[in-house]
Amino acid sequence: MDLRLRLPDEIHSRLRTVAEDDGKSLNAEIIIAIEEFLERKQTSTVRAIARKVAQRDAELLDRLSK
């Protein structure tokens, strides 16, 4: 898929520097950044769900731990 992305000059410059330092293309570096972002979002969503379950079922979890 082709996607046109408009970035502020500073972000573009920072990404370009990181890509050059890593020996990767700007496109590859952007893909890595998006993948890492999505992984963090998924992890935080799972943690939020786990907290809700733990709060909802605190009494049951306490009895199971004994």
Side-chain angles (χ1 to χ4, degrees), residues 30-64:
I30 291 170
I31 290 170
I32 291 167
I34 291 170
E35 287 173 338
E36 289 174 356
F37 168 79
L38 292 173
E39 182 66 31
R40 284 192 312 273
K41 289 294 275 187
Q42 182 179 8
T43 299
S44 66
T45 300
V46 169
R47 286 183 181 153
I49 291 168
R51 277 192 300 273
K52 286 180 184 178
V53 170
Q55 289 171 349
R56 183 192 68 204
D57 297 332
E59 183 183 332
L60 174 61
L61 293 169
D62 184 53
R63 285 188 294 164
L64 288 172

Side-chain angles (χ1 to χ4, degrees), residues 1-57:
M1 177 182 109
D2 288 327
L3 172 71
R4 182 178 172 99
L5 178 64
R6 288 181 222 118
L7 297 171
D9 290 339
E10 183 179 330
I11 292 175
H12 180 264
S13 177
R14 289 170 62 193
L15 280 167
R16 170 83 53 205
T17 299
V18 170
E20 289 172 359
D21 289 349
D22 290 347
K24 295 184 176 92
S25 70
L26 182 59
N27 188 71
E29 205 63 52
I30 291 170
I31 290 170
I32 291 167
I34 291 170
E35 287 173 338
E36 289 174 356
F37 168 79
L38 292 173
E39 182 66 31
R40 284 192 312 273
K41 289 294 275 187
Q42 182 179 8
T43 299
S44 66
T45 300
V46 169
R47 286 183 181 153
I49 291 168
R51 277 192 300 273
K52 286 180 184 178
V53 170
Q55 289 171 349
R56 183 192 68 204
D57 297 332

